[in-house]
Amino acid sequence: MSKYSALSLLRGAFNGQSHWQPAWRDPEPKTSYDVVIIGGGGHGLATAYYLAKVHGITNVAVIEKGYIGGGNVGRNTTIVRSNYRLEPLSRFYEFSLKLWEGLSDDLNYNVMFSPRGALTLGHSDADMIQLAQKGDAMAVQGIDAELLTRDQVMKIEPCLDFSRQARFPIEGAMIQWRGGTARHDAVAWGFARGADSYGVDIIQKCEVTGMVMGGNRVVGVETSRGRINAGTVAICAAGHSGHVAAMAGLKLPVESQTLQAMVTEGVKPMVQTVVMTQSLHCYISQSDKGGIVFGGDPDNWPSYAQRGQPVTMELAVQQGLALIPALSRLRMLRCWAGVTDMSFDGSPIIGTTPRDGLWINGGWCYGGFKATPGSGYLFAHSLAHQRPHAIVEPFSLDRFERGSPVDENGTGPFPNHR
Amino acid sequence: MKLIPCPHCGNRAQAEFVYERTADSVVPLDAEPDAAVAALFARANPRGVEEEIWRHTYGCGSWMLIRRDRVSHAIEWVKPLGPEALP
Amino acid sequence: MNAATINFTFDGKALRARPGQTLAAALLDNGTKLVGRSFKYHRPRGILSAGVEEPNALVTVGTGGRTEPNTRATDLFVYEGLVATSQNRWPSLSSDLGSALQLVAKALPAGFYYKTFFGPPKLWLFYEKFIRRAAGLGPAPTEIDPDRYATRAAFCDVLVVGSGPAGLIAARDAVHAGKKVILVEQDAKLAPSLLRDPHEIESKPGAAWAEDVAAEIRANGGKVLTRTSASGLWDDQFICLSEKLVEPGQVPANGFTQRYWHVRAGEVVLATGVIERPLTFANNDRPGVMLSQAVRTYVNRFGVVPGQRVVVATTGDDAYLTAQALRDAGAEVVAVLDSRAAPAGQDSGFAVFNSAVPVTAKGGKNGVTALVANLGGTERTFACDLIAMSGGFTPLVHLHMQAGGKLDWDEAAQAFVPGASRWNVRTVGLAAEPAPAETVGATGVAKQAFVDFQNDVTVADLDLAWREGYRSVEHLKRYTTLGMATDQGKTGNMAALDRIARREGMTVPEAGLTTFRPPHTPVSMGALAGLATGEHAQPTRRPALYDLHAAKDPIWLNAGYWKRPRAYPVGAETLAQAGLREARAVRSSVGMCDVSTLAKFEVQGPDAVQYLERVCQTSVGKLAVGRGRYTFMAREDSLVFDDGTVWRLEENRFLLTSSTGGASRMATWLSYVRNHLCADLKVSLVCVQEHYAAIAVAGPKSSAVMAKLTGAESPRHMSVVDARIAGIPAWVMAASFSGERAFEVHFDAAHAEAVWNAIEAEGCTPYGLEAMELLRIEKGHMVVGPDIDGRLTAEELGLGKMVNKAGGWIGASTLHRPAFVDPLRKQFVGLEAIDGGSIPEGSMLVRWIGGEAEGHVTGSGLRVLEGGSIAIGHLKGGHKRHGEELYAYSPTRKQKAKVRVTSPHCYDPAGERYRD
């Protein structure tokens, strides 16, 4: 693997950038691997990377039906943060955030992790108390959280509507300065390049069509490119977890829903942080190219269509304009949709399944992107030791039947978290 | 935006409707504990056809069962549901 | 052509346009060639096209709150006073310091940023600051838009997109077949192609024919909308249109700048036409290199000849029309370079060169000066000031694809054409049958041959991405940013696919196709939001007594959608002072509070008890007529989600109340239970939330007040009687949220003010939600949200003794789950401050500062009469920890208080004050 650096780019200036090698190989699948990971998205690639790098397990295949990074890792609003109230969630996402902080160097691939601050606005005293509670819950765990007054918010994000007539008046905010954004595609590509360099086979355009069972044990997968035997099979196919799990005869506490995001035409710097709010379902940031990136609610009905509904998108825009009225004259350039695994408590599912040899990593709802390195690291650790890492134990698949959901919003047990 | 044929009102925009849950996830009042947990949490979530309970919430308020493809969104049929459904 | 009479400015320079000209036409007319700077390298750019596909000529128009960045000069009709400014340059368009980036462009290939800028995140933040400033095209708006955006819904049988001949004929046919038709055209004029290429149709001059057909459509009930773009097409022919009522930046006459349409059509006819493809050669992005049809548009429609010495480069027949138009307009056509070996235009009288392709354009920011061409193997340089290029045509299939349609490959046209549609959508005209043309691939130095003009993606970038393994079209696109600019790759995507296909010896369909996502052309955010902006961004619900409260000038609280009084300050009272005074009035005398927003349901029928005993976790059947009780409801996962009261008004008639915030959820839930779980029961339920207003009257003197108002003995605690207050029939229910002897009066909301005034006249102190919070926290009453948070069982909330032992309630069958017996689950407790501090609301409960959180404070208040901070909260295993000392710790607010765990019922735990 040729190392990426400013110097190597400079060298390229004199050779027409002709010295660059493929970032990953395009191998034929072998007949057998120690670990087969279903899904070449961020989580699958990260899992493969850490399996190889941390645990020395390199006889690994990542099987991707399309092209790597084509699912939700390339269809999100790129937000990274760990500001959760429930301890299992904040502990998990903080673990991930710490990995983000060193990820570009670790991968030798600039994922542009930009800790510009994750700002959550409060629109009432009740919001501010909830934000304080969340901040306090984070702070007692040593996670950075700062409460801001209205005046402080005004200094940080002057584009917001601070008028008193605003439908959502700004009373203050909580900010996690270490939160921010990252370049989503680069995350998938960086992990792919890293995993490949350790010998992991990344097999694109290869669809898993069935599980090979030996009694209650999954011993391999059938694919569009033939049967592949596996010591362990790991599902990392969020959005399609249910579809894949069904191949092993499993039903999951997950429904697939469409989540839309949108971006405006680019303008010079306008939104400095990642703006979220305690009362609305709207999150806004500005990409390095200048586009204002928006997200809202999922479409709230099961769909695998990767096609959102216009009304949901318009609602997100309405909320965005209520917060930042000056967005009115910008134009929406593009909107897109991802298929998300909506779990029944809003939290992910990571761990074993009722089938021996089959593990799952899914149920990410809105939160999968920021989890990518942490999820990959901890899932790899779990696979390598064949027991769930302590941090992911609360997210076991059987938590629902045991009665211990991790429900940040308290709205379960339904996938439509309104 | 999809059109949904409400059994009461005819074709209406999907935004008037709320998806409630899958037909097989109704937990009967007399369900055994294990059956209740299974109905509540185990979803087939097919990349294909499923029967779902919807309500014309921002319309007539009636409930219906919809058999629908979750990839193409094509609706196979809609049936009224519940004692309040019109004949 | 008319004289130039319209005044406008470009970069402060006063210029004039002729009526009907676009800004691009007017700039060309004024001899302006340099219009913008590209995104990455700040290369000088002119005008490429004459339509919405323009990648180069982006300007900022308007001033103040009407400032609109990134406006295409080709899609903006000049109006008097137009202010246009070039963008992405500093200090000026002509001498842009950013253009120094071109010098180091060799070191900045596609995706260079992935390979450098390593180091700690703070360092990237530092680099990013500069990258963000350099990127981003137009200026960030700062002012509030003074104009409004109208919205409209419409239904039609046939919606036709595009008013070229094919679209007009389709619309005319449809109206004559009795169909309701809407025809939309994004241009200001109908049939723009007939303005570019005037010819007769049905024995009329094209433009006149188009106007006549439009009149015919209108006369037959159809609608014809110009300046209207179909931005998106969704399931079942749902189309969003954005209609410009005035041009960007222009002051509208009636306050509305655009109209955004939701249209449901029976059928959609796409007559969207084609976009011409550029040729890919070195410096093909220079000002003075234009699309052939665009040149013809400027000559024939706008009366502007963009060059005097022209080279036409083409791969098909259409460009000969451009050569002809130029010659007719008096320009010299230096050469026609035709890539084909035996083109049809041999005898056109032009200097036609066969097997000829452009290689390198010469010239700089002020326009091209020459073109180096490859003439069947030999190079030759042609001096020229304009290059008109035509690389074939790309059908506009965006809407077809958005509608789930398939694409077919048309080999003769080297283009994707619409295939099968999923919904009732069909494509007509050139979009379905584009003219034949060949492709010739890229020529010249690859790193100067641009594929995506705006984002500065060159052929070398595509090659690099391919070499590095980014081979799926989506990878290529994302890695190089191809097609991600404001033109969404309308001109560039096909050239990129062609490059890949040629490189790898594949067909173009094998190389792939990216998906087209809405909108087809960018849509103003203001239009998408419509009128739901400012204070109307979300609905506001006002209770029946709103005006009466407003007259008292209270401090308001936004509670969900509702506006509710939080306190009624007297004089200079603060919120806290007013709340405490009001609460003390309740504790010591009598107060009144508007509780109309409570969710209220009437449940009737012979099986009402059975129904309610499923919904409620408490027993209901044991209630005598005229009695009520506190109750709470669990979800199917046996966690409590709401609480309220249930009253037996008659043998088979009940009133159920529940929380304000959970009202709509409860309404749905009750209907769900009734329809899906109890379909066999004889019961009906009606939501009466807004039908009945409700006023709470609380305090030691409340019983006397009620007796006086009703002329009868007040009901005893948890009883309900029919009464009249101020002549208005009402239910008087003796129930208490405050801990005092108290009543809730429910009555027809139409008479809310009369009843309120009658009660207030008895000396009751109005109190708001602030006082209510103090009172209920002291009493240990829970609210939905902080206390009943959807995570605890009835037992954990301390309600175990009230649960109906007979079972049958929803959630009973999942309460067996093992996690519920975990002794470390949270439970509802009270807290009192030990050392005089106040307990921060929402703070964490820890054993020592630095220890882990074992719970949190859900509500904080004080002893209303005596003072002293008290609170309620959730604590792990809390029921067995009464007496234990903890800290309530808020690191974010730097506050802490030493607290003792107690029963939540701090005030009158025996309930003696409920009795008279």
Side-chain angles (χ1 to χ4, degrees):
Chain A
M1 187 173 79
S2 53
K3 195 165 161 56
Y4 291 168
S5 68
L7 211 60
S8 61
L9 280 165
L10 207 59
R11 194 179 129 215
F14 300 100
N15 67 14
Q17 304 291 347
S18 62
H19 62 300
W20 300 112
Q21 300 299 308
W24 49 83
R25 295 164 296 127
D26 187 15
E28 281 302 310
K30 294 191 280 187
T31 53
S32 175
Y33 290 93
D34 294 338
V35 180
V36 165
I37 295 168
I38 303 175
H43 292 251
L45 294 164
T47 302
Y49 173 75
Y50 290 114
L51 267 177
K53 186 190 174 202
V54 179
H55 305 283
I57 300 173
T58 57
N59 186 23
V60 174
V62 179
I63 312 281
E64 169 54 49
K65 75 173 173 191
Y67 56 93
I68 58 167
N72 294 333
V73 71
R75 292 170 185 274
N76 56 76
T77 48
T78 79
I79 298 170
V80 175
R81 58 186 175 90
S82 66
N83 53 355
Y84 282 82
R85 187 156 66 121
L86 297 184
E87 195 262 345
L89 288 164
S90 52
R91 187 168 44 164
F92 170 78
Y93 282 108
E94 177 63 13
F95 183 88
S96 192
L97 182 53
K98 289 205 171 109
L99 288 175
W100 277 108
E101 288 167 344
L103 194 58
S104 293
D105 279 342
D106 186 33
L107 295 175
N108 180 233
Y109 200 110
N110 187 2
V111 300
M112 304 183 194
F113 172 59
S114 164
R116 54 182 71 176
L119 182 78
T120 312
L121 301 172
H123 305 291
S124 63
D125 286 0
D127 276 1
M128 289 311 297
I129 284 167
Q130 289 204 21
L131 289 173
Q133 186 186 335
K134 190 186 275 190
D136 288 345
M138 292 160 65
V140 295
Q141 289 181 72
I143 303 172
D144 72 306
E146 193 182 323
L147 285 183
L148 302 176
T149 63
R150 181 184 146 84
D151 288 344
Q152 288 172 310
V153 179
M154 210 180 290
K155 287 205 182 76
I156 293 168
E157 210 62 279
C159 64
L160 295 167
D161 185 358
F162 290 93
S163 64
R164 281 294 174 193
Q165 316 80 279
R167 182 65 181 85
F168 308 105
I170 293 166
E171 300 295 340
M174 196 252 298
I175 193 160
Q176 181 180 28
W177 280 112
R178 287 164 57 242
T181 60
R183 171 83 183 103
H184 56 1
D185 293 323
V187 176
W189 299 337
F191 275 121
R193 175 167 165 269
D196 178 89
S197 75
Y198 288 107
V200 170
D201 282 356
I202 295 166
I203 302 163
Q204 304 186 78
K205 293 185 198 158
C206 178
E207 181 167 10
V208 172
T209 54
M211 300 276 178
V212 184
M213 304 294 298
N216 189 47
R217 186 170 189 86
V218 175
V219 296
V221 291
E222 298 288 355
T223 78
S224 54
R225 290 164 73 171
R227 176 172 168 166
I228 301 173
N229 296 319
T232 299
V233 173
I235 302 174
C236 290
H240 301 267
S241 296
H243 174 77
V244 178
M247 295 175 190
L250 300 176
K251 290 184 176 181
L252 302 178
V254 159
E255 283 187 0
S256 294
Q257 296 187 354
T258 305
L259 180 63
Q260 295 187 79
M262 53 225 90
V263 64
T264 68
E265 295 178 345
V267 286
K268 296 294 176 190
M270 177 176 185
V271 182
Q272 310 305 329
T273 61
V274 175
V275 177
M276 294 166 288
T277 106
Q278 185 64 23
S279 302
L280 301 172
H281 284 281
C282 179
Y283 29 100
I284 308 171
S285 64
Q286 187 170 17
S287 79
D288 286 344
K289 287 187 68 191
I292 312 289
V293 181
F294 266 72
D297 259 339
D299 277 4
N300 267 328
W301 48 301
S303 169
Y304 284 99
Q306 282 194 352
R307 182 177 72 244
Q309 295 303 310
V311 176
T312 320
M313 175 260 287
E314 287 158 20
L315 193 68
V317 174
Q318 286 163 10
Q319 298 191 347
L321 258 64
L323 296 174
I324 310 179
L327 291 175
S328 174
R329 293 263 171 175
L330 296 191
R331 301 187 201 91
M332 185 178 79
L333 174 61
R334 198 165 51 238
C335 66
W336 63 93
V339 179
T340 55
D341 270 12
M342 297 302 288
S343 72
F344 285 23
D345 59 359
S347 295
I349 297 166
I350 311 173
T352 56
T353 70
R355 301 283 175 269
D356 298 332
L358 182 68
W359 291 64
I360 186 161
N361 169 324
W364 289 102
C365 305
Y366 302 65
F369 178 69
K370 60 183 172 281
T372 308
S375 158
Y377 190 98
L378 297 168
F379 196 41
H381 185 280
S382 305
L383 295 172
H385 293 84
Q386 291 290 303
R387 93 185 122 68
H389 188 284
I391 294 177
V392 298
E393 260 178 6
F395 306 115
S396 68
L397 175 57
D398 68 357
R399 70 178 181 270
F400 298 96
E401 58 191 68
R402 282 192 290 107
S404 51
V406 185
D407 191 349
E408 176 87 355
N409 296 324
T411 50
F414 305 105
N416 8 349
H417 290 274
R418 292 207 186 95
Chain B
M1 185 167 50
K2 187 106 204 97
L3 280 177
I4 296 179
C6 170
H8 193 127
C9 311
N11 273 334
R12 290 291 184 275
Q14 173 258 318
E16 294 181 18
F17 297 78
V18 173
Y19 162 78
E20 185 65 26
R21 57 171 74 192
T22 56
D24 63 7
S25 67
V26 175
V27 184
L29 287 165
D30 55 358
E32 292 297 318
D34 287 351
V37 167
L40 207 47
F41 297 117
R43 292 289 198 282
N45 196 26
R47 208 150 74 191
V49 174
E50 181 63 292
E51 289 178 18
E52 301 168 345
I53 295 170
W54 287 67
R55 189 180 187 209
H56 195 187
T57 308
Y58 307 105
C60 67
S62 67
W63 294 86
M64 65 208 70
L65 194 60
I66 299 183
R67 187 172 162 83
R68 185 178 71 88
D69 188 302
R70 290 176 166 189
V71 182
S72 71
H73 298 167
I75 291 174
E76 275 186 32
W77 47 250
V78 178
K79 290 177 186 169
L81 263 186
E84 293 173 358
L86 293 184
Chain C
M1 203 67 200
N2 297 318
T5 54
I6 305 175
N7 297 294
F8 73 100
T9 65
F10 178 63
D11 279 346
K13 192 171 160 194
L15 300 170
R16 281 190 173 176
R18 295 188 246 185
Q21 282 187 328
T22 59
L23 176 62
L27 289 173
L28 288 169
D29 210 0
N30 283 281
T32 308
K33 290 205 163 161
L34 176 65
V35 179
R37 289 279 173 175
S38 68
F39 180 80
K40 184 175 168 188
Y41 301 134
H42 291 242
R43 282 174 70 97
R45 292 289 165 78
I47 291 158
L48 176 74
S49 75
V52 296
E53 67 271 31
E54 177 62 36
N56 289 338
L58 304 184
V59 297
T60 298
V61 297
T63 54
R66 293 191 179 90
T67 304
E68 231 169 273
N70 305 334
T71 303
R72 293 172 294 262
T74 53
D75 184 32
L76 169 67
F77 290 88
V78 181
Y79 51 87
E80 180 65 30
L82 167 71
V83 177
T85 315
S86 63
Q87 42 184 50
N88 204 33
R89 83 289 185 273
W90 190 85
S92 76
L93 182 58
S94 182
S95 32
D96 173 20
L97 282 184
S99 63
L101 280 165
Q102 292 169 58
L103 301 176
V104 292
K106 284 179 180 175
L108 309 177
F112 74 91
Y113 29 73
Y114 301 129
K115 294 173 177 158
T116 183
F117 303 122
F118 293 109
K122 289 274 179 215
L123 200 56
W124 168 249
L125 264 186
F126 175 77
Y127 297 134
E128 191 183 42
K129 201 178 285 178
F130 296 97
I131 291 173
R132 287 186 64 183
R133 275 189 211 153
L137 294 173
T142 53
E143 292 182 43
I144 291 181
D145 192 339
D147 299 332
R148 294 198 290 167
Y149 296 78
T151 54
R152 190 141 170 201
F155 299 82
C156 65
D157 298 314
V158 182
L159 181 112
V160 181
V161 182
S163 73
L168 283 168
I169 289 168
R172 185 175 66 180
D173 288 351
V175 289
H176 287 313
K179 304 268 178 65
K180 194 176 164 191
V181 173
I182 298 175
L183 171 73
V184 300
E185 169 56 55
Q186 65 193 8
D187 204 306
K189 296 266 193 200
L190 294 167
S193 63
L194 297 176
L195 301 173
R196 180 190 69 220
D197 294 320
H199 61 272
E200 287 202 346
I201 302 183
E202 295 172 354
S203 313
K204 290 180 195 168
W209 172 84
E211 291 299 334
D212 287 353
V213 174
E216 197 178 337
I217 293 165
R218 287 194 179 104
N220 285 280
K223 213 183 274 295
V224 178
L225 304 171
T226 53
R227 270 330 240 153
T228 302
S229 162
S231 54
L233 175 47
W234 281 274
D235 301 51
D236 296 333
Q237 302 92 239
F238 184 81
I239 306 104
C240 295
L241 308 175
S242 54
E243 179 185 7
K244 289 190 179 74
L245 300 173
V246 293
E247 290 299 310
Q250 193 175 10
V251 182
N254 63 355
F256 288 98
T257 179
Q258 289 188 31
R259 185 182 290 132
Y260 186 69
W261 296 68
H262 281 173
V263 181
R264 176 79 64 184
E267 183 189 22
V268 175
V269 178
L270 300 174
T272 41
V274 294
I275 283 179
E276 195 161 37
R277 297 200 280 254
L279 292 168
T280 312
F281 55 95
N283 294 334
N284 60 342
D285 64 323
R286 287 285 182 238
V289 181
M290 297 176 71
L291 291 171
S292 157
Q293 287 198 340
V295 170
R296 213 152 82 230
T297 300
Y298 290 112
V299 172
N300 287 345
R301 174 175 176 181
F302 297 117
V304 186
V305 185
Q308 290 306 315
R309 288 172 58 79
V310 190
V311 174
V312 176
T314 186
T315 63
D317 293 341
D318 185 83
Y320 287 85
L321 296 174
T322 303
Q324 188 63 48
L326 284 163
R327 185 161 66 188
D328 292 349
E332 179 193 352
V333 178
V334 179
V336 176
L337 309 179
D338 197 318
S339 67
R340 298 169 295 181
Q346 296 283 34
D347 50 2
S348 58
F350 295 109
V352 176
F353 297 88
N354 300 341
S355 305
V357 290
V359 177
T360 306
K362 303 276 183 193
K365 64 187 179 193
N366 292 317
V368 292
T369 54
L371 176 66
V372 181
N374 180 335
L375 309 177
T378 58
E379 284 212 341
R380 181 167 158 189
T381 301
F382 298 93
C384 59
D385 61 1
L386 175 67
I387 298 166
M389 59 182 169
S390 177
F393 298 91
T394 302
L396 282 168
V397 295
H398 299 62
L399 293 170
H400 169 80
M401 274 199 89
Q402 283 179 28
K406 299 259 182 293
L407 294 182
D408 293 333
W409 178 245
D410 181 333
E411 184 65 28
Q414 289 288 301
F416 287 105
V417 293
S421 300
R422 182 185 290 155
W423 306 310
N424 205 2
V425 176
R426 69 187 164 95
T427 305
V428 298
L430 284 175
E433 296 173 77
E438 60 174 33
T439 56
V440 292
T443 50
V445 178
K447 62 176 178 282
Q448 286 165 5
F450 287 81
V451 175
D452 183 312
F453 290 77
Q454 193 182 126
N455 272 354
D456 285 330
V457 180
T458 66
V459 170
D461 290 325
L462 296 177
D463 291 352
L464 174 66
W466 185 273
R467 205 160 58 240
E468 292 194 81
Y470 300 90
R471 298 188 174 179
S472 141
V473 174
E474 286 291 338
H475 282 164
L476 202 66
K477 185 179 113 180
R478 289 153 182 261
Y479 190 67
T480 62
T481 73
L482 170 84
M484 310 289 265
T486 63
D487 61 317
Q488 296 155 314
K490 287 190 180 73
T491 53
N493 281 351
M494 285 307 292
L497 292 176
D498 183 66
R499 176 68 181 183
I500 298 166
R502 276 169 194 281
R503 238 193 104 101
E504 300 304 309
M506 298 186 287
T507 63
V508 172
E510 281 169 339
L513 179 70
T514 65
T515 47
F516 295 113
R517 301 195 174 97
H520 171 239
T521 49
V523 181
S524 296
M525 300 288 277
L528 292 168
L531 292 168
T533 57
E535 63 173 319
H536 301 294
Q538 211 170 55
T540 300
R541 293 180 79 178
R542 295 180 173 85
L545 287 163
Y546 178 84
D547 290 342
L548 185 143
H549 296 313
K552 295 179 191 295
D553 194 19
I555 297 171
W556 291 102
L557 183 75
N558 289 335
Y561 292 140
W562 290 103
K563 282 254 180 231
R564 298 184 68 184
R566 194 169 175 187
Y568 304 87
V570 175
E573 272 181 344
T574 63
L575 172 67
Q577 288 165 341
L580 187 58
R581 173 183 51 74
E582 291 167 10
R584 283 181 173 162
V586 173
R587 286 272 180 267
S588 56
S589 175
V590 57
M592 63 187 298
C593 182
D594 180 7
V595 293
S596 301
T597 60
L598 276 175
K600 300 183 269 299
F601 303 91
E602 270 203 60
V603 180
Q604 293 193 53
D607 295 333
V609 168
Q610 273 173 277
Y611 172 73
L612 285 167
E613 289 199 334
R614 283 161 193 186
V615 170
C616 300
Q617 260 188 291
T618 62
S619 75
V620 174
K622 288 177 195 154
L623 282 179
V625 172
R627 297 284 291 166
R629 66 163 303 155
Y630 172 74
T631 190
F632 43 91
M633 304 83 171
R635 300 185 306 229
E636 290 153 299
D637 61 358
S638 67
L639 301 176
V640 178
F641 74 101
D642 212 331
D643 71 345
T645 54
V646 58
W647 303 87
R648 194 164 204 164
L649 304 172
E650 295 165 19
E651 179 65 23
N652 292 330
R653 184 181 180 201
F654 293 81
L655 185 77
L656 177 70
T657 71
S658 57
S659 71
T660 297
S664 71
R665 175 180 58 189
M666 183 60 77
T668 300
W669 176 242
L670 292 177
S671 179
Y672 172 81
V673 173
R674 195 274 169 277
N675 280 272
H676 302 280
L677 304 182
C678 306
D680 53 324
L681 297 186
K682 293 189 177 69
V683 62
S684 84
L685 65 107
V686 180
C687 175
V688 291
Q689 183 181 21
E690 287 174 281
H691 182 75
Y692 296 120
I695 297 169
V697 181
K701 294 181 184 166
S702 63
S703 186
V705 167
M706 290 317 295
K708 187 170 172 212
L709 282 165
T710 60
E713 198 179 327
S714 319
R716 65 193 172 91
H717 188 59
M718 296 320 285
S719 292
V720 52
V721 295
D722 284 318
R724 276 177 183 273
I725 297 174
I728 309 301
W731 289 307
V732 176
M733 298 155 172
S736 175
F737 194 50
S738 58
E740 300 299 332
R741 179 84 161 111
F743 303 86
E744 267 177 31
V745 184
H746 291 242
F747 54 94
D748 184 347
H751 304 290
E753 294 203 6
V755 176
W756 175 282
N757 288 334
I759 297 173
E760 195 175 6
E762 295 305 319
C764 295
T765 302
Y767 66 97
L769 294 179
E770 190 69 14
M772 189 193 279
E773 276 291 286
L774 291 173
L775 295 164
R776 70 98 190 165
I777 288 170
E778 186 179 21
K779 180 65 185 172
H781 278 155
M782 293 175 283
V783 290
V784 173
D787 306 308
I788 298 177
D789 67 351
R791 288 190 277 261
L792 302 185
T793 64
E795 176 67 36
E796 289 155 358
L797 288 166
L799 303 171
K801 284 182 187 153
M802 285 187 246
V803 171
N804 189 348
K805 302 292 178 295
W809 36 271
I810 290 162
S813 53
T814 56
L815 191 56
H816 69 284
R817 291 179 290 165
F820 290 145
V821 297
D822 182 346
L824 289 181
R825 278 182 63 87
K826 294 204 174 142
Q827 292 167 337
F828 185 59
V829 296
L831 301 161
E832 58 182 1
I834 300 173
D835 51 9
S838 75
I839 304 172
E841 197 155 317
S843 59
M844 296 295 116
L845 295 172
V846 296
R847 271 190 261 194
W848 64 90
I849 302 304
E852 70 176 66
E854 298 185 28
H856 66 276
V857 175
T858 57
S860 172
L862 41 76
R863 287 190 171 87
V864 170
L865 294 178
E866 303 94 324
S869 183
I870 52 168
I872 46 181
H874 292 167
L875 180 64
K876 283 179 179 173
H879 289 167
K880 291 187 177 158
R881 293 171 72 173
H882 291 188
E884 199 176 320
E885 291 182 4
L886 299 168
Y887 287 97
Y889 177 43
S890 172
T892 60
R893 288 164 286 182
K894 300 181 178 60
Q895 294 169 10
K896 65 170 193 251
K898 202 163 190 198
V899 296
R900 183 181 296 114
V901 181
T902 62
S903 152
H905 308 294
C906 176
Y907 183 74
D908 184 31
E912 285 163 5
R913 298 181 69 86
Y914 294 152
R915 290 182 272 277
D916 283 327

